[in-house]
Amino acid sequence: MSDHATLTVNGITVELPILRGSCGEPAIDITTLTAQTGYLAYDPGFGNTASCRSAITWIDGDHGILRYRGIPIEQFATKPNFVEVAWLLIFGRLPTTPELKDFSAKLTANAHLHEGLRHHFEGFPVDAPPMAILSAMINAKGCFEDDFLSSDDQQFEDAAARLISKVRTIAAYAYRRAKGLPVIYPDPKLRYIANMLHMMFSMPYDQYVIDPDIEAALNLIFILHADHEQNCSTATVRMVGSSHANLFASAAAGVCALWGPLHGGANVAVIDMLEAIHRGGLSPEDVIRRAKDKSSGFRLMGFGHRVYKNYDPRATMLRDISERIFTKLNRQDPLLDIARKLEALALADPYFVERRLYPNVDFYSGIIFRAIGIPTDMFTVMFAIGRLPGWIAHWKEQHDQPGGRIARPRQVYTGPDLTNYTPIDQRPAPAG
Ligand code: ACO
Protein backbone atom coordinates (compact mmCIF):
# COMPACT_ATOMS: atom_id res chain seq x y z
CA MET A 1 0.00 0.00 0.00
CA SER A 2 1.23 3.47 -0.87
CA ASP A 3 2.66 5.63 1.90
CA HIS A 4 1.53 8.86 0.31
CA ALA A 5 -1.34 10.36 -1.66
CA THR A 6 -0.73 12.50 -4.71
CA LEU A 7 -2.89 15.54 -5.21
CA THR A 8 -2.76 17.80 -8.23
CA VAL A 9 -4.50 21.11 -7.99
CA ASN A 10 -4.14 24.08 -10.30
CA GLY A 11 -1.01 22.60 -11.85
CA ILE A 12 0.68 21.97 -8.51
CA THR A 13 1.32 18.35 -7.54
CA VAL A 14 1.91 17.54 -3.91
CA GLU A 15 2.64 14.30 -2.15
CA LEU A 16 0.83 13.98 1.14
CA PRO A 17 1.93 11.33 3.67
CA ILE A 18 -0.51 8.56 4.62
CA LEU A 19 -0.83 7.81 8.32
CA ARG A 20 -2.23 4.58 9.68
CA GLY A 21 -3.94 4.16 13.03
CA SER A 22 -3.03 1.15 15.16
CA CYS A 23 -6.16 -0.70 13.97
CA GLY A 24 -5.32 0.11 10.35
CA GLU A 25 -7.53 3.09 9.50
CA PRO A 26 -5.75 5.28 6.94
CA ALA A 27 -5.60 9.06 6.96
CA ILE A 28 -4.06 11.57 4.57
CA ASP A 29 -1.86 14.02 6.42
CA ILE A 30 -2.78 17.43 4.98
CA THR A 31 -0.72 19.45 7.47
CA THR A 32 1.26 21.08 4.66
CA LEU A 33 -1.60 21.31 2.10
CA THR A 34 -2.28 25.03 2.40
CA ALA A 35 1.39 25.97 2.58
CA GLN A 36 2.15 23.93 -0.54
CA THR A 37 -0.93 24.68 -2.66
CA GLY A 38 -2.69 27.72 -1.21
CA TYR A 39 -5.86 25.61 -0.92
CA LEU A 40 -7.81 24.93 2.27
CA ALA A 41 -9.56 21.62 3.03
CA TYR A 42 -13.34 22.14 3.31
CA ASP A 43 -15.09 19.71 5.66
CA PRO A 44 -18.16 21.16 7.39
CA GLY A 45 -18.99 19.23 10.55
CA PHE A 46 -15.51 17.61 10.34
CA GLY A 47 -17.00 14.33 9.08
CA ASN A 48 -13.76 13.51 7.22
CA THR A 49 -11.27 15.12 9.54
CA ALA A 50 -9.06 13.41 12.12
CA SER A 51 -8.29 16.34 14.40
CA CYS A 52 -5.70 14.55 16.54
CA ARG A 53 -3.95 11.28 17.27
CA SER A 54 -5.53 9.55 20.23
CA ALA A 55 -4.92 6.23 21.98
CA ILE A 56 -8.02 6.29 24.20
CA THR A 57 -11.01 4.89 22.34
CA TRP A 58 -11.44 3.05 19.08
CA ILE A 59 -14.69 2.84 17.11
CA ASP A 60 -15.35 0.78 14.00
CA GLY A 61 -18.62 2.31 12.89
CA ASP A 62 -19.25 -0.14 10.06
CA HIS A 63 -19.09 -3.14 12.34
CA GLY A 64 -20.51 -1.56 15.51
CA ILE A 65 -17.32 -1.99 17.56
CA LEU A 66 -16.29 0.17 20.51
CA ARG A 67 -13.14 -0.36 22.58
CA TYR A 68 -11.70 1.55 25.54
CA ARG A 69 -7.89 1.38 25.49
CA GLY A 70 -8.29 -1.72 23.30
CA ILE A 71 -10.83 -3.50 25.54
CA PRO A 72 -14.18 -4.29 23.83
CA ILE A 73 -17.05 -2.50 25.56
CA GLU A 74 -18.93 -5.80 25.97
CA GLN A 75 -16.24 -7.01 28.38
CA PHE A 76 -17.40 -4.43 30.91
CA ALA A 77 -20.96 -5.82 30.96
CA THR A 78 -20.42 -8.28 33.78
CA LYS A 79 -17.79 -6.46 35.79
CA PRO A 80 -19.20 -3.00 36.08
CA ASN A 81 -16.92 -0.67 37.97
CA PHE A 82 -17.17 2.84 36.65
CA VAL A 83 -14.25 4.12 38.75
CA GLU A 84 -11.95 1.41 37.35
CA VAL A 85 -12.99 2.34 33.79
CA ALA A 86 -12.43 6.03 34.55
CA TRP A 87 -8.88 5.22 35.69
CA LEU A 88 -8.29 3.06 32.61
CA LEU A 89 -9.38 5.85 30.27
CA ILE A 90 -7.42 8.57 32.02
CA PHE A 91 -4.18 6.73 32.78
CA GLY A 92 -4.04 4.34 29.83
CA ARG A 93 -4.12 0.92 31.50
CA LEU A 94 -6.16 -1.02 34.03
CA PRO A 95 -5.25 0.01 37.59
CA THR A 96 -3.63 -2.34 40.10
CA THR A 97 -5.56 -3.01 43.32
CA PRO A 98 -3.59 -0.38 45.33
CA GLU A 99 -3.98 2.18 42.53
CA LEU A 100 -7.74 1.62 42.36
CA LYS A 101 -8.05 1.70 46.15
CA ASP A 102 -6.07 4.90 46.32
CA PHE A 103 -8.11 6.57 43.57
CA SER A 104 -11.41 5.41 45.12
CA ALA A 105 -10.26 6.77 48.48
CA LYS A 106 -9.58 10.13 46.80
CA LEU A 107 -13.11 10.11 45.35
CA THR A 108 -14.56 9.40 48.79
CA ALA A 109 -12.46 12.07 50.48
CA ASN A 110 -13.46 14.70 47.92
CA ALA A 111 -17.19 14.15 47.59
CA HIS A 112 -18.14 17.22 49.64
CA LEU A 113 -18.38 20.70 48.16
CA HIS A 114 -16.57 23.68 49.64
CA GLU A 115 -19.24 25.51 51.66
CA GLY A 116 -18.33 28.67 49.74
CA LEU A 117 -19.21 26.87 46.53
CA ARG A 118 -22.47 25.57 47.92
CA HIS A 119 -23.83 29.11 48.24
CA HIS A 120 -23.52 29.58 44.48
CA PHE A 121 -26.57 27.33 44.06
CA GLU A 122 -28.72 29.97 45.74
CA GLY A 123 -28.16 32.32 42.81
CA PHE A 124 -29.87 30.08 40.27
CA PRO A 125 -33.62 30.25 39.73
CA VAL A 126 -35.25 27.06 41.03
CA ASP A 127 -36.27 26.07 37.51
CA ALA A 128 -32.78 26.63 36.03
CA PRO A 129 -31.79 23.83 33.63
CA PRO A 130 -29.53 21.44 35.56
CA MET A 131 -27.05 21.35 32.64
CA ALA A 132 -26.61 25.13 32.98
CA ILE A 133 -26.01 24.72 36.71
CA LEU A 134 -23.58 21.85 36.13
CA SER A 135 -21.50 23.78 33.64
CA ALA A 136 -21.46 26.95 35.77
CA MET A 137 -20.56 25.04 38.93
CA ILE A 138 -17.72 23.06 37.31
CA ASN A 139 -16.31 26.36 36.10
CA ALA A 140 -16.82 27.89 39.54
CA LYS A 141 -15.03 24.89 41.04
CA GLY A 142 -11.99 25.94 39.02
CA CYS A 143 -11.88 29.13 41.12
CA PHE A 144 -11.17 26.94 44.16
CA GLU A 145 -8.34 25.16 42.35
CA ASP A 146 -5.94 28.01 41.72
CA ASP A 147 -2.94 25.96 42.90
CA PHE A 148 -3.55 23.18 40.34
CA LEU A 149 -0.61 22.76 38.00
CA SER A 150 -1.35 20.70 34.90
CA SER A 151 2.33 19.81 34.57
CA ASP A 152 2.46 17.96 37.90
CA ASP A 153 1.25 14.32 37.57
CA GLN A 154 0.25 13.98 41.20
CA GLN A 155 -1.66 17.25 41.16
CA PHE A 156 -3.36 16.22 37.96
CA GLU A 157 -4.52 12.91 39.46
CA ASP A 158 -5.80 14.69 42.57
CA ALA A 159 -7.64 17.29 40.47
CA ALA A 160 -9.17 14.58 38.25
CA ALA A 161 -10.36 12.71 41.36
CA ARG A 162 -11.85 15.89 42.82
CA LEU A 163 -13.69 16.67 39.60
CA ILE A 164 -15.06 13.14 39.11
CA SER A 165 -16.12 13.02 42.73
CA LYS A 166 -17.66 16.46 43.03
CA VAL A 167 -19.56 16.37 39.74
CA ARG A 168 -22.12 13.98 41.22
CA THR A 169 -22.43 16.17 44.34
CA ILE A 170 -23.07 19.19 42.11
CA ALA A 171 -25.61 17.17 40.10
CA ALA A 172 -27.40 16.01 43.25
CA TYR A 173 -27.48 19.54 44.72
CA ALA A 174 -28.87 20.95 41.45
CA TYR A 175 -31.63 18.36 41.63
CA ARG A 176 -32.39 19.07 45.30
CA ARG A 177 -32.50 22.81 44.65
CA ALA A 178 -34.94 22.39 41.74
CA LYS A 179 -37.19 20.31 44.01
CA GLY A 180 -36.84 22.66 46.99
CA LEU A 181 -35.41 19.79 49.03
CA PRO A 182 -32.74 20.05 51.76
CA VAL A 183 -29.20 19.30 50.71
CA ILE A 184 -27.98 15.80 51.63
CA TYR A 185 -24.26 15.55 52.33
CA PRO A 186 -22.22 12.70 50.83
CA ASP A 187 -21.83 9.54 52.89
CA PRO A 188 -18.21 8.28 52.90
CA LYS A 189 -19.40 4.71 53.51
CA LEU A 190 -21.08 4.55 50.10
CA ARG A 191 -19.58 3.68 46.73
CA TYR A 192 -19.54 6.13 43.82
CA ILE A 193 -22.98 5.53 42.28
CA ALA A 194 -24.67 4.66 45.58
CA ASN A 195 -23.45 7.94 47.04
CA MET A 196 -24.94 9.86 44.13
CA LEU A 197 -28.31 8.14 44.59
CA HIS A 198 -28.12 8.86 48.33
CA MET A 199 -27.45 12.57 47.75
CA MET A 200 -30.28 12.77 45.23
CA PHE A 201 -32.97 10.74 46.97
CA SER A 202 -32.33 10.42 50.74
CA MET A 203 -34.11 12.67 53.21
CA PRO A 204 -32.59 13.83 56.51
CA TYR A 205 -35.08 11.53 58.28
CA ASP A 206 -35.28 8.78 55.66
CA GLN A 207 -32.24 7.09 54.13
CA TYR A 208 -32.73 6.06 50.49
CA VAL A 209 -32.41 2.28 50.21
CA ILE A 210 -29.99 1.44 47.42
CA ASP A 211 -30.98 -1.51 45.28
CA PRO A 212 -27.74 -3.27 44.20
CA ASP A 213 -29.25 -4.11 40.79
CA ILE A 214 -30.03 -0.45 40.15
CA GLU A 215 -26.57 0.54 41.32
CA ALA A 216 -25.06 -2.05 38.95
CA ALA A 217 -27.24 -0.87 36.05
CA LEU A 218 -26.22 2.76 36.58
CA ASN A 219 -22.59 1.71 36.87
CA LEU A 220 -22.80 0.07 33.48
CA ILE A 221 -24.72 2.99 31.95
CA PHE A 222 -21.99 5.36 33.12
CA ILE A 223 -19.35 3.03 31.66
CA LEU A 224 -21.16 2.98 28.32
CA HIS A 225 -21.12 6.78 28.27
CA ALA A 226 -17.54 7.17 29.50
CA ASP A 227 -15.82 7.96 26.21
CA HIS A 228 -16.55 8.05 22.51
CA GLU A 229 -13.49 9.51 20.77
CA GLN A 230 -13.95 12.88 19.06
CA ASN A 231 -17.68 13.45 19.64
CA CYS A 232 -18.98 17.02 19.84
CA SER A 233 -18.44 17.53 23.59
CA THR A 234 -15.03 15.83 23.69
CA ALA A 235 -13.91 17.79 20.64
CA THR A 236 -15.09 20.91 22.51
CA VAL A 237 -13.06 19.97 25.58
CA ARG A 238 -10.00 19.51 23.36
CA MET A 239 -10.73 22.74 21.48
CA VAL A 240 -10.89 24.72 24.74
CA GLY A 241 -7.97 22.77 26.23
CA SER A 242 -5.87 23.54 23.16
CA SER A 243 -5.66 27.17 24.28
CA HIS A 244 -4.19 25.82 27.56
CA ALA A 245 -7.40 26.60 29.44
CA ASN A 246 -7.54 24.62 32.68
CA LEU A 247 -9.22 21.25 33.18
CA PHE A 248 -12.28 22.74 34.89
CA ALA A 249 -12.95 25.39 32.23
CA SER A 250 -12.50 22.77 29.49
CA ALA A 251 -14.88 20.28 31.18
CA ALA A 252 -17.46 23.05 31.76
CA ALA A 253 -17.40 23.76 28.01
CA GLY A 254 -17.88 20.04 27.36
CA VAL A 255 -21.08 20.10 29.45
CA CYS A 256 -22.46 22.93 27.29
CA ALA A 257 -21.72 21.04 24.07
CA LEU A 258 -23.30 17.88 25.45
CA TRP A 259 -26.50 19.71 26.36
CA GLY A 260 -27.79 20.09 22.78
CA PRO A 261 -30.48 17.71 21.51
CA LEU A 262 -28.35 16.48 18.62
CA HIS A 263 -25.80 15.24 21.17
CA GLY A 264 -26.38 14.24 24.82
CA GLY A 265 -29.64 16.18 25.04
CA ALA A 266 -31.11 13.57 22.70
CA ASN A 267 -31.88 11.37 25.73
CA VAL A 268 -34.42 14.01 26.82
CA ALA A 269 -35.71 14.56 23.28
CA VAL A 270 -36.36 10.81 22.93
CA ILE A 271 -38.58 10.77 26.01
CA ASP A 272 -40.40 13.93 24.83
CA MET A 273 -41.04 12.17 21.52
CA LEU A 274 -42.23 8.93 23.18
CA GLU A 275 -44.46 10.87 25.58
CA ALA A 276 -46.01 12.80 22.70
CA ILE A 277 -46.93 9.49 21.08
CA HIS A 278 -48.22 8.13 24.38
CA ARG A 279 -50.44 11.18 24.96
CA GLY A 280 -52.17 10.36 21.68
CA GLY A 281 -52.80 12.34 18.54
CA LEU A 282 -49.51 11.10 17.05
CA SER A 283 -48.83 7.48 16.15
CA PRO A 284 -45.40 5.82 15.77
CA GLU A 285 -46.14 5.70 12.02
CA ASP A 286 -46.75 9.50 12.04
CA VAL A 287 -43.40 10.03 13.75
CA ILE A 288 -41.58 7.90 11.18
CA ARG A 289 -43.33 9.82 8.38
CA ARG A 290 -42.34 13.18 9.87
CA ALA A 291 -38.75 12.03 10.38
CA LYS A 292 -38.51 11.16 6.68
CA ASP A 293 -40.00 14.47 5.59
CA LYS A 294 -37.06 16.88 5.26
CA SER A 295 -39.36 19.91 5.30
CA SER A 296 -40.60 18.99 8.82
CA GLY A 297 -37.23 19.77 10.41
CA PHE A 298 -37.91 16.78 12.67
CA ARG A 299 -35.63 13.78 13.23
CA LEU A 300 -36.24 10.46 14.83
CA MET A 301 -34.50 11.20 18.12
CA GLY A 302 -32.10 8.55 19.42
CA PHE A 303 -31.48 7.34 15.86
CA GLY A 304 -28.50 7.87 13.61
CA HIS A 305 -24.86 8.49 14.33
CA ARG A 306 -21.94 10.20 12.62
CA VAL A 307 -19.68 7.16 13.01
CA TYR A 308 -21.91 4.12 13.52
CA LYS A 309 -23.42 2.87 10.30
CA ASN A 310 -24.49 -0.25 12.14
CA TYR A 311 -26.11 -0.94 15.50
CA ASP A 312 -24.48 1.20 18.20
CA PRO A 313 -23.10 -1.50 20.57
CA ARG A 314 -24.01 0.73 23.52
CA ALA A 315 -27.66 0.75 22.41
CA THR A 316 -27.67 -3.07 22.30
CA MET A 317 -26.32 -3.24 25.84
CA LEU A 318 -28.73 -0.57 27.05
CA ARG A 319 -31.67 -2.47 25.60
CA ASP A 320 -30.55 -5.50 27.62
CA ILE A 321 -30.20 -3.39 30.77
CA SER A 322 -33.69 -1.95 30.22
CA GLU A 323 -35.13 -5.46 30.04
CA ARG A 324 -33.30 -6.50 33.22
CA ILE A 325 -34.40 -3.39 35.13
CA PHE A 326 -38.04 -3.66 34.11
CA THR A 327 -38.13 -7.35 35.05
CA LYS A 328 -36.41 -6.65 38.35
CA LEU A 329 -38.73 -3.77 39.24
CA ASN A 330 -41.66 -5.79 37.94
CA ARG A 331 -42.76 -2.70 36.12
CA GLN A 332 -44.20 -1.86 32.75
CA ASP A 333 -43.59 1.40 30.93
CA PRO A 334 -45.76 2.14 27.91
CA LEU A 335 -42.87 4.24 26.57
CA LEU A 336 -40.70 1.10 26.31
CA ASP A 337 -43.31 -0.57 24.11
CA ILE A 338 -43.54 2.57 21.96
CA ALA A 339 -39.74 2.69 21.64
CA ARG A 340 -39.64 -0.94 20.53
CA LYS A 341 -42.38 -0.27 17.98
CA LEU A 342 -40.56 2.79 16.61
CA GLU A 343 -37.32 0.85 16.38
CA ALA A 344 -39.00 -2.01 14.49
CA LEU A 345 -40.71 0.43 12.09
CA ALA A 346 -37.50 2.33 11.40
CA LEU A 347 -35.34 -0.75 10.92
CA ALA A 348 -37.82 -2.05 8.32
CA ASP A 349 -38.13 1.26 6.48
CA PRO A 350 -36.01 1.83 3.33
CA TYR A 351 -35.33 5.47 4.36
CA PHE A 352 -33.51 4.35 7.53
CA VAL A 353 -32.05 1.21 5.96
CA GLU A 354 -30.51 3.08 3.00
CA ARG A 355 -29.01 5.74 5.27
CA ARG A 356 -27.86 3.11 7.76
CA LEU A 357 -29.62 4.78 10.68
CA TYR A 358 -29.79 2.67 13.85
CA PRO A 359 -30.66 3.35 17.49
CA ASN A 360 -27.87 5.20 19.28
CA VAL A 361 -26.93 5.36 22.96
CA ASP A 362 -29.72 7.82 23.72
CA PHE A 363 -32.59 5.71 22.43
CA TYR A 364 -32.96 3.47 25.52
CA SER A 365 -31.01 5.30 28.22
CA GLY A 366 -33.84 7.70 29.11
CA ILE A 367 -36.31 4.87 29.60
CA ILE A 368 -33.93 3.25 32.08
CA PHE A 369 -33.27 6.53 33.91
CA ARG A 370 -37.05 7.01 34.15
CA ALA A 371 -37.52 3.54 35.64
CA ILE A 372 -34.85 4.29 38.23
CA GLY A 373 -36.69 7.47 39.23
CA ILE A 374 -34.33 10.03 37.72
CA PRO A 375 -36.33 12.99 36.42
CA THR A 376 -36.17 13.82 32.72
CA ASP A 377 -34.26 17.08 33.11
CA MET A 378 -31.46 15.17 34.88
CA PHE A 379 -30.92 12.65 32.06
CA THR A 380 -28.27 14.67 30.25
CA VAL A 381 -26.61 15.42 33.60
CA MET A 382 -26.29 11.65 34.10
CA PHE A 383 -24.67 11.45 30.65
CA ALA A 384 -22.25 14.23 31.66
CA ILE A 385 -21.21 12.40 34.85
CA GLY A 386 -20.57 9.30 32.77
CA ARG A 387 -18.65 11.18 30.05
CA LEU A 388 -16.45 13.19 32.44
CA PRO A 389 -13.63 10.58 32.64
CA GLY A 390 -13.43 10.64 28.84
CA TRP A 391 -13.18 14.42 28.79
CA ILE A 392 -10.45 14.30 31.45
CA ALA A 393 -8.58 11.57 29.54
CA HIS A 394 -8.63 13.64 26.34
CA TRP A 395 -7.59 16.80 28.15
CA LYS A 396 -4.63 14.92 29.69
CA GLU A 397 -3.66 13.21 26.43
CA GLN A 398 -3.66 16.56 24.65
CA HIS A 399 -1.59 18.14 27.39
CA ASP A 400 0.91 15.29 27.42
CA GLN A 401 1.48 15.32 23.66
CA PRO A 402 4.49 17.42 22.71
CA GLY A 403 4.09 20.09 20.06
CA GLY A 404 0.32 20.51 20.41
CA ARG A 405 -1.11 23.42 18.46
CA ILE A 406 -4.06 25.60 19.34
CA ALA A 407 -7.18 24.32 17.54
CA ARG A 408 -7.97 26.99 15.00
CA PRO A 409 -9.91 25.89 11.92
CA ARG A 410 -10.11 28.03 8.81
CA GLN A 411 -13.17 28.93 6.73
CA VAL A 412 -14.32 29.56 3.19
CA TYR A 413 -15.34 33.21 3.42
CA THR A 414 -18.68 33.98 1.73
CA GLY A 415 -19.23 37.60 2.83
CA PRO A 416 -18.91 40.77 0.76
CA ASP A 417 -15.69 41.58 -1.08
CA LEU A 418 -13.90 44.83 -0.20
CA THR A 419 -16.61 47.31 0.82
CA ASN A 420 -16.20 50.97 1.81
CA TYR A 421 -17.62 52.42 5.00
CA THR A 422 -20.68 54.64 4.32
CA PRO A 423 -21.42 57.52 6.77
CA ILE A 424 -24.78 56.97 8.50
CA ASP A 425 -26.54 59.93 6.79
CA GLN A 426 -25.65 58.56 3.33
CA ARG A 427 -26.89 54.97 3.85
CA PRO A 428 -29.85 53.86 1.74
CA ALA A 429 -32.93 52.60 3.61
CA PRO A 430 -32.93 48.78 3.83
CA ALA A 431 -35.03 47.19 1.10
CA GLY A 432 -38.54 46.12 2.13
N1 ACO B 1 -34.02 10.93 11.60
C1 ACO B 1 -34.24 11.13 10.29
N2 ACO B 1 -33.26 11.29 9.37
C2 ACO B 1 -31.99 11.24 9.82
C3 ACO B 1 -31.68 11.04 11.17
C4 ACO B 1 -32.74 10.87 12.09
N3 ACO B 1 -32.52 10.67 13.40
N4 ACO B 1 -30.35 11.05 11.33
C5 ACO B 1 -29.82 11.26 10.11
N5 ACO B 1 -30.82 11.36 9.18
C6 ACO B 1 -30.65 11.51 7.74
C7 ACO B 1 -30.23 12.92 7.37
O1 ACO B 1 -31.35 13.74 7.13
C8 ACO B 1 -29.42 12.66 6.12
O2 ACO B 1 -30.32 12.40 5.07
P1 ACO B 1 -29.90 12.81 3.54
O3 ACO B 1 -28.70 11.98 3.21
O4 ACO B 1 -31.10 12.49 2.74
O5 ACO B 1 -29.60 14.29 3.58
C9 ACO B 1 -28.72 11.32 6.43
O6 ACO B 1 -29.59 10.65 7.36
C10 ACO B 1 -27.34 11.49 7.04
O7 ACO B 1 -27.49 12.29 8.19
P2 ACO B 1 -26.49 13.45 8.63
O8 ACO B 1 -27.25 14.61 9.12
O9 ACO B 1 -25.47 13.69 7.57
O10 ACO B 1 -25.78 12.74 9.84
P3 ACO B 1 -24.79 13.43 10.83
O11 ACO B 1 -23.67 12.49 10.98
O12 ACO B 1 -24.46 14.81 10.43
O13 ACO B 1 -25.63 13.54 12.18
C11 ACO B 1 -26.77 12.88 14.14
C12 ACO B 1 -25.62 12.57 13.16
C13 ACO B 1 -26.66 14.32 14.63
C14 ACO B 1 -26.60 11.97 15.33
C15 ACO B 1 -28.11 12.62 13.41
O14 ACO B 1 -28.21 11.26 13.05
C16 ACO B 1 -29.30 13.04 14.27
O15 ACO B 1 -29.69 14.20 14.23
N6 ACO B 1 -29.90 12.09 15.05
C17 ACO B 1 -30.96 12.44 15.94
C18 ACO B 1 -30.43 13.09 17.21
C19 ACO B 1 -29.71 12.09 18.08
O16 ACO B 1 -30.20 11.00 18.36
N7 ACO B 1 -28.53 12.50 18.59
C20 ACO B 1 -27.72 11.67 19.48
C21 ACO B 1 -26.51 11.13 18.75
S1 ACO B 1 -25.56 10.09 19.80
C22 ACO B 1 -24.76 11.18 20.83
O17 ACO B 1 -24.42 12.24 20.48
C23 ACO B 1 -24.52 10.78 22.19
Side-chain angles (χ1 to χ4, degrees):
M1 242 178 283
S2 172
D3 63 353
H4 65 267
T6 306
L7 174 78
T8 301
V9 56
N10 215 13
I12 306 168
T13 297
V14 288
E15 298 211 328
L16 301 167
I18 304 249
L19 309 177
R20 262 173 217 285
S22 48
C23 291
E25 68 279 18
I28 301 172
D29 178 351
I30 61 162
T31 319
T32 61
L33 177 72
T34 307
Q36 289 198 73
T37 66
Y39 282 71
L40 296 171
Y42 178 60
D43 186 21
F46 310 124
N48 305 282
T49 299
S51 60
C52 60
R53 296 176 192 235
S54 179
I56 301 170
T57 288
W58 187 67
I59 303 175
D60 177 342
D62 282 331
H63 299 101
I65 296 172
L66 169 61
R67 296 181 195 151
Y68 291 161
R69 300 283 186 185
I71 303 173
I73 193 75
E74 291 77 9
Q75 292 188 16
F76 296 108
T78 50
K79 300 181 247 353
N81 185 337
F82 175 63
V83 175
E84 189 179 359
V85 171
W87 205 95
L88 165 76
L89 289 168
I90 297 169
F91 299 106
R93 60 172 171 81
L94 288 166
T96 60
T97 303
E99 283 167 340
L100 185 58
K101 264 196 180 154
D102 181 52
F103 195 62
S104 297
K106 281 183 183 150
L107 296 185
T108 303
N110 284 292
H112 62 283
L113 290 188
H114 190 293
E115 285 294 306
L117 193 62
R118 204 160 69 74
H119 297 305
H120 287 248
F121 285 91
E122 310 302 324
F124 294 105
V126 281
D127 56 353
M131 285 296 273
I133 298 181
L134 187 66
S135 173
M137 293 303 290
I138 290 176
N139 218 347
K141 172 79 192 94
C143 306
F144 293 77
E145 299 273 347
D146 55 354
D147 55 347
F148 163 52
L149 291 172
S150 60
S151 52
D152 181 308
D153 284 351
Q154 195 52 55
Q155 282 201 23
F156 169 80
E157 179 171 344
D158 292 351
R162 283 198 295 277
L163 187 50
I164 292 173
S165 184
K166 289 179 200 300
V167 73
R168 80 205 140 139
T169 315
I170 294 172
Y173 283 15
Y175 169 73
R176 306 288 297 194
R177 167 139 182 85
K179 294 272 174 219
L181 296 170
V183 153
I184 299 290
Y185 285 100
D187 179 345
K189 292 188 292 305
L190 296 175
R191 287 186 298 267
Y192 187 82
I193 305 282
N195 214 347
M196 183 192 77
L197 291 169
H198 159 69
M199 286 188 277
M200 282 181 80
F201 299 128
S202 284
M203 292 301 267
Y205 44 83
D206 188 10
Q207 179 91 5
Y208 176 79
V209 179
I210 290 143
D211 179 328
D213 288 332
I214 296 216
E215 187 188 353
L218 266 178
N219 237 314
L220 184 51
I221 293 173
F222 280 7
I223 289 171
L224 295 181
H225 286 84
D227 191 45
H228 216 227
E229 51 124 293
Q230 305 307 318
N231 59 86
C232 177
S233 54
T234 303
T236 300
V237 168
R238 290 187 85 120
M239 170 74 89
V240 175
S242 79
S243 74
H244 294 183
N246 70 50
L247 177 64
F248 297 87
S250 305
V255 172
C256 294
L258 187 72
W259 189 0
L262 294 188
H263 190 16
N267 57 15
V268 175
V270 169
I271 293 295
D272 290 347
M273 179 180 77
L274 298 177
E275 279 178 338
I277 297 172
H278 183 54
R279 277 195 302 273
L282 197 66
S283 68
E285 289 78 6
D286 292 334
V287 166
I288 296 289
R289 243 189 317 276
R290 274 188 71 201
K292 293 192 294 182
D293 173 8
K294 300 279 185 220
S295 66
S296 71
F298 172 80
R299 288 190 162 192
L300 182 58
M301 300 314 287
F303 252 74
H305 197 273
R306 171 61 60 79
V307 184
Y308 290 119
K309 301 301 167 197
N310 201 322
Y311 224 102
D312 179 337
R314 303 167 302 170
T316 314
M317 292 172 76
L318 284 166
R319 203 177 43 186
D320 293 348
I321 300 173
S322 73
E323 267 148 33
R324 280 210 302 279
I325 287 292
F326 279 96
T327 309
K328 155 83 198 193
L329 298 175
N330 195 16
R331 203 181 291 169
Q332 306 255 304
D333 185 344
L335 299 198
L336 181 58
D337 297 331
I338 296 170
R340 287 188 184 128
K341 172 99 197 271
L342 272 177
E343 179 184 345
L345 284 173
L347 295 182
D349 189 302
Y351 174 96
F352 293 90
V353 174
E354 281 157 19
R355 289 170 179 76
R356 303 172 75 193
L357 303 171
Y358 291 85
N360 60 47
V361 69
D362 294 312
F363 196 66
Y364 284 105
S365 61
I367 293 175
I368 306 171
F369 288 143
R370 215 168 107 98
I372 292 172
I374 290 166
T376 311
D377 61 357
M378 290 295 287
F379 290 0
T380 317
V381 172
M382 295 295 117
F383 191 153
I385 298 174
R387 180 55 56 89
L388 185 61
W391 291 338
I392 295 172
H394 282 271
W395 188 92
K396 175 173 166 49
E397 182 178 68
Q398 182 179 41
H399 253 76
D400 289 351
Q401 277 168 350
R405 296 180 84 192
I406 189 165
R408 203 300 186 190
R410 300 294 303 277
Q411 62 171 12
V412 175
Y413 173 69
T414 59
D417 203 346
L418 179 63
T419 305
N420 290 319
Y421 176 82
T422 313
I424 195 160
D425 56 348
Q426 293 170 28
R427 289 175 209 165

